[in-house]
Amino acid sequence: MVKKILTINTVFSQGGAAKIARTLHDVLNKTPGFSSRFAYGRGKKIKSKEVFSFGVRSEAYLRAFLTRLMGLQGCGSWFSTKRLEGFILKEKFDLIHLHNLHGYYLDLSFVRFLNKLNIPIVWTLHDAWPITGRCSYFLDCNRWKTGCGSCPSLSMYPKTYLDSSALMWKKKKECFTKGWSPVVVCPSWWLADRVKESYLNKYRVEVIPNGVDTGIFKPKDRVKIQERLKISPSKKIILFVAADLREERKGTEYFFEALKYVKTKDCLVLTVGKKINLNQKTKENIEIKQLGYMSDNNLISDIYNTSDIFCTTSLQDNFPTTILEAMACGIPIIGFKTGGIPEQVSEDCGILIESRNVEELAEGIDELLSNNEKRNKFSLNCRRRVLENYSIEKFKEQYINLYKNLLK
C-alpha cells in the first residue's frame, strides 16, 4: 500500500530549507511504496499536480506588517491556514513532514489542527526559530532558554521595531508543547543540543544531516569551465556564497575585512548571492566579481569548480548546504567555527577559526592558496567525506527509515 506524505514549507524554490525539502519530496516520488505532495505558502505558482500553493498574498503582507511593526508572529494568515487544512482533510495523508513554519504564511493555530489528524508528524528544524521568542538565530544571546525579552537583535530576521520576544516566547511555548507529539529532526548535533535545552525537550529528537546530489555537485574540468566563463587560469579563486550578501548573520563584512590582510597575489573573489555595494571594502589588488543570485544547480556546480577555496563567515549556522555542495565538488573550506559547521568540515577538509577573527581568516586563506599540496589533499578528503556521509542516498535512507518506523 502506497503511503502518502505531505511536505510543508514556506516556499518551494528558494533558500536552503526549500532545497532540502524539495530534494526529499523528489526522492520520495521515486521510491516504491511512497508518494509525496508539496504544499507551500509563498512564491510563484508551480505548475505541477504534486505541488499545492495555499498562501493568500494579502495575508502574507499583513503578517509581515504585524511582525515588522509589533513583533507579532504566527498570526494574520487565517485564510491561508484554512486552505491548507482543507487540502489536508481532502487528500488524507498518512504522514505530514513540516519544515519551516515561519515566513509570514501560516498561523500557529495550525498545530492544534494537526493534533486532530492522529497521524505521525515529522518536523525538521532548519534554524532556531521554533525555540526562540523572535529570531531564527540567537548568536551570542541565551535569553531563549529562560523566556527572551530585551532582544539584542531586533534588526535581524524577522526584523521588528517593537520587542515582543517575551510575549512570543510564551505563545510559542504554549503552542508547540501542547496537544501534539512531533518527531523533531535536526540536521546538526549543534541544533539538536539546543533543542534539548529548550521547551521542545519533551519530544523525540533525531539528527539527520542534510544531503547533496553528488551526481551534480562533483569535480569537473576546471580549465574548460574557466574558459567558458572567461576567468583567467592564473588567478587564485576565492568563492563566497550567501543567498543575500547583506544578511548580517552571514558575516560578509568580516570576509571583506579579511581580504585586506590577504598577501597572496592575483586573487579573484567570486560572490554568489544578491549583490551589494562594495564601497572600497577590500584592497585594490584583489579583483571582485559579483555573479548575483543563482538557482540552477548545474551552473552553481560549475562555479564551485572554478574555485580554489570556499570561504564561509557565518556568525551562526545550522548545517549549510552550500558547504556540502562545495565539498562535494572537492573545494576546501576556510571559515568560522560556528554552529554545526565543525560537524561538516573535519580537520582534513579545511581550516576553521574562531568567529570574527579576520586576521587569522586571512592567514588561513593565504595558507590554502599558497600550499598546493595541502589544498589538493583537502580536495580529495572533501569529496570522500561527502560521499561517505552526506549523499542524497544516505539522506533518503535515513528519512525513509524514520517514516517506516512511524508508520508501523
Side-chain angles (χ1 to χ4, degrees):
M1 182 178 177
V2 175
K3 297 297 184 181
K4 294 178 64 176
I5 312 295
L6 175 63
T7 296
I8 300 174
N9 189 55
T10 314
V11 294
F12 180 77
S13 57
Q14 186 173 339
K19 181 178 285 190
I20 292 300
R22 193 171 64 250
T23 296
L24 187 56
H25 162 71
D26 290 340
V27 299
L28 277 173
N29 281 326
K30 298 174 184 176
T31 303
F34 289 92
S35 70
S36 176
R37 301 287 294 275
F38 194 115
Y40 68 100
R42 292 172 50 203
K44 66 178 182 180
K45 301 290 184 181
I46 305 298
K47 294 181 180 179
S48 169
K49 64 180 182 180
E50 297 171 354
V51 180
F52 175 61
S53 173
F54 61 87
V56 178
R57 182 177 296 181
S58 58
E59 285 192 330
Y61 288 137
L62 171 61
R63 184 168 168 183
F65 171 78
L66 292 173
T67 300
R68 181 65 61 89
L69 184 64
M70 297 181 288
L72 301 179
Q73 304 175 35
C75 57
S77 302
W78 190 85
F79 287 108
S80 301
T81 303
K82 290 301 177 184
R83 285 190 66 192
L84 176 58
E85 291 175 0
F87 172 73
I88 291 171
L89 291 174
K90 177 184 175 183
E91 294 293 331
K92 295 181 172 58
F93 293 98
D94 297 294
L95 181 147
I96 292 179
H97 190 158
L98 307 172
H99 290 267
N100 279 346
L101 295 185
H102 56 84
Y104 319 126
Y105 81 109
L106 197 61
D107 268 13
L108 295 182
S109 61
F110 181 61
V111 171
R112 293 197 296 271
F113 165 80
L114 291 176
N115 180 51
K116 299 175 184 177
L117 299 177
N118 197 31
I119 61 174
I121 305 295
V122 175
W123 188 9
T124 295
L125 309 190
H126 296 278
D127 55 40
W129 182 86
I131 61 174
T132 74
R134 202 196 64 77
C135 53
S136 297
Y137 287 95
F138 44 79
L139 301 184
D140 300 323
C141 176
N142 286 315
R143 292 181 176 89
W144 57 274
K145 296 181 181 180
T146 55
C148 285
S150 301
C151 180
S153 307
L154 295 180
S155 62
M156 293 182 64
Y157 173 84
K159 183 177 180 180
T160 183
Y161 297 108
L162 182 65
D163 184 6
S164 300
S165 59
L167 173 65
M168 288 306 308
W169 188 91
K170 291 179 181 177
K171 184 174 182 180
K172 284 184 182 180
K173 179 181 180 181
E174 181 179 2
C175 181
F176 293 152
T177 60
K178 293 182 180 179
W180 69 330
S181 296
V183 174
V184 176
V185 177
C186 298
S188 68
W189 285 103
W190 170 81
L191 184 56
D193 289 341
R194 306 289 89 73
V195 169
K196 292 172 184 177
E197 294 181 89
S198 76
Y199 47 66
L200 294 183
N201 62 10
K202 61 186 289 187
Y203 299 125
R204 173 182 169 186
V205 178
E206 298 284 341
V207 175
I208 300 179
N210 296 334
V212 294
D213 190 334
T214 55
I216 294 176
F217 296 99
K218 61 184 179 181
K220 300 178 181 179
D221 189 322
R222 172 175 171 155
V223 174
K224 287 185 178 180
I225 295 173
Q226 288 185 332
E227 285 179 356
R228 190 175 76 246
L229 298 178
K230 298 180 179 180
I231 295 174
S232 171
S234 65
K235 295 283 189 180
K236 294 291 188 179
I237 311 297
I238 306 168
L239 180 62
F240 188 90
V241 178
D244 187 348
L245 294 172
R246 300 167 298 178
E247 186 180 351
E248 180 182 346
R249 180 178 61 85
K250 292 299 181 179
T252 309
E253 63 177 294
Y254 297 100
F255 171 66
F256 285 109
E257 183 66 22
L259 292 179
K260 297 177 181 179
Y261 299 95
V262 171
K263 298 176 182 177
T264 305
K265 305 297 182 183
D266 295 323
C267 287
L268 169 61
V269 172
L270 298 179
T271 69
V272 175
K274 291 181 182 178
K275 296 181 180 181
I276 59 174
N277 185 359
L278 293 176
N279 289 332
Q280 305 297 319
K281 284 183 178 292
T282 184
K283 59 185 183 182
E284 295 179 358
N285 67 328
I286 294 184
E287 181 185 354
I288 299 175
K289 188 173 183 179
Q290 297 191 78
L291 302 177
Y293 182 81
M294 296 180 179
S295 58
D296 185 298
N297 282 339
N298 288 297
L299 178 56
I300 295 172
S301 176
D302 286 349
I303 299 301
Y304 286 125
N305 275 278
T306 66
S307 309
D308 291 285
I309 60 173
F310 178 91
C311 190
T312 175
T313 53
S314 289
L315 303 180
Q316 194 171 81
D317 227 324
N318 179 8
F319 207 81
T321 309
T322 53
I323 289 180
L324 298 183
E325 291 171 348
M327 290 173 62
C329 294
I331 311 304
I333 310 299
I334 172 73
F336 293 157
K337 190 188 303 181
T338 58
I341 293 174
E343 299 171 40
Q344 300 173 291
V345 185
S346 57
E347 292 182 354
D348 59 355
C349 290
I351 299 173
L352 296 182
I353 60 176
E354 294 304 318
S355 179
R356 298 180 173 89
N357 192 326
V358 294
E359 293 189 23
E360 282 196 20
L361 180 63
E363 290 175 6
I365 290 173
D366 281 328
E367 180 181 348
L368 284 179
L369 292 180
S370 62
N371 190 331
N372 293 339
E373 182 180 351
K374 186 171 188 175
R375 195 173 64 251
N376 291 335
K377 182 180 178 181
F378 278 6
S379 175
L380 295 174
N381 293 337
C382 283
R383 175 68 179 175
R384 182 170 59 248
R385 183 168 176 80
V386 172
L387 289 174
E388 291 176 354
N389 300 284
Y390 309 124
S391 67
I392 285 295
E393 291 74 24
K394 192 171 185 68
F395 172 76
K396 165 190 164 182
E397 178 186 5
Q398 290 177 285
Y399 269 113
I400 293 294
N401 287 340
L402 175 61
Y403 291 164
K404 288 180 176 178
N405 177 268
L406 295 175
L407 289 167
K408 282 182 180 178

